[in-house]
Amino acid sequence: QSALTQPASVSGSPGQSITISCTGTSSDVGGYNYVSWYQQHPGKAPKLMIYDVSNRPSGVSNRFSGSKSGNTASLTISGLQAEDEADYYCSSYTSSSTFVVFGGGTKLTVL
Amino acid sequence: QLQLQESGPGLVKPSETLSLTCTVSGGSISSSSYYWGWIRQPPGKGLEWIGSIYYSGSTYYNPSLKSRVTISVDTSKNQFSLKLSSVTAADTAVYYCARHDWQWLVLGWFDPWGQGTLVTVSS
């Protein structure tokens, strides 16, 4: 069981917006602004899409945005494209002895 | 452009030690703002952080693996390495290395990642 809870799957049609949630506790997501999001296509390495809750690395489309409310962080993808179909993982720093926790991953299907 | 590349045996026998090396190119492993980490992903499953090391040798480990993990760094070769002892089939996974952000004494995001290497534990 992962430390951060994500929905197993989400789906949307091209052009639509979707949101993936990532729920933790006050020891991780809720207590620190160190949430990051990763996109992983099949057979590929994860790619950083959002860091520190809402910052986009250079080169990442502005269709990707991140936010946080309480113990839940969210990744929103607007204007869905076929190439967005992938697995998405959240991660957070945690004040527990684990230091770093990941979510279980969410499979995004573009219909 | 910073790049990371994992290398090591793809097959390890049960009870033996898994050894992998990550070679960093396009930048120095001795950067003051980053740790260097190992993450693994069992087939069809999610990501698990294993541990991270600073160029000085300071380490953080996942408590669930700490008793079996050793991460070391060789700044002269711009490399860091992972050793995981007493492996079982449950350690079969794709192993990734990545640069690990470190700010205000907190471990943050991973970027970039190596391409990953599949290690299978089997006799």
Side-chain angles (χ1 to χ4, degrees):
Chain A
Q1 186 173 357
S2 300
L4 303 180
T5 301
Q6 298 181 234
S9 63
V10 298
S11 63
S13 300
Q16 288 185 332
S17 294
I18 63 96
T19 296
I20 300 172
S21 62
C22 171
T23 301
T25 69
S26 58
S27 295
D28 39 66
V29 173
Y32 304 90
N33 290 324
Y34 296 114
V35 177
S36 50
W37 289 91
Y38 304 88
Q39 176 191 65
Q40 186 179 36
H41 287 110
K44 301 295 187 182
K47 174 187 176 184
L48 178 67
M49 305 301 285
I50 295 289
Y51 67 96
D52 296 352
V53 176
S54 59
N55 295 303
R56 266 190 319 274
S58 175
V60 172
S61 170
N62 59 11
R63 297 185 299 106
F64 291 83
S65 62
S67 63
K68 188 184 82 168
S69 177
N71 295 337
T72 298
S74 299
L75 173 70
T76 298
I77 308 173
S78 59
L80 267 181
Q81 300 179 359
E83 66 204 50
D84 300 331
E85 185 162 293
D87 293 326
Y88 291 84
Y89 293 90
C90 63
S91 180
S92 174
Y93 168 78
T94 173
S95 58
S96 76
S97 58
T98 315
F99 302 114
V100 176
V101 289
F102 282 98
T106 298
K107 181 176 180 59
L108 169 62
T109 301
V110 180
L111 302 171
Chain B
Q1 180 182 357
L2 190 72
Q3 293 185 312
L4 290 82
Q5 178 69 57
E6 306 87 353
S7 59
L11 181 64
V12 181
K13 289 182 168 57
S15 81
E16 295 190 343
T17 296
L18 177 160
S19 297
L20 295 174
T21 295
C22 181
T23 301
V24 179
S25 59
S28 174
I29 202 170
S30 299
S31 171
S32 61
S33 301
Y34 302 104
Y35 271 64
W36 303 87
W38 288 98
I39 306 100
R40 70 180 183 177
Q41 184 173 35
K45 297 187 178 181
L47 301 168
E48 179 181 34
W49 173 68
I50 299 170
S52 298
I53 190 166
Y54 197 56
Y55 74 92
S56 64
S58 175
T59 53
Y60 287 100
Y61 293 131
N62 186 328
S64 68
L65 298 168
K66 186 175 182 177
S67 64
R68 298 193 293 130
V69 172
T70 301
I71 298 177
S72 58
V73 63
D74 187 335
T75 55
S76 67
K77 295 182 178 179
N78 232 30
Q79 294 177 335
F80 62 108
S81 298
L82 168 71
K83 291 188 185 297
L84 180 65
S85 64
S86 304
V87 297
T88 69
D91 295 310
T92 294
V94 176
Y95 286 77
Y96 296 100
C97 60
R99 185 178 64 175
H100 197 174
D101 180 61
W102 185 61
Q103 54 180 309
W104 302 108
L105 305 182
V106 168
L107 293 170
W109 41 264
F110 296 95
D111 182 64
W113 296 57
Q115 65 182 29
T117 186
L118 175 63
V119 179
T120 301
V121 178
S122 175
S123 56

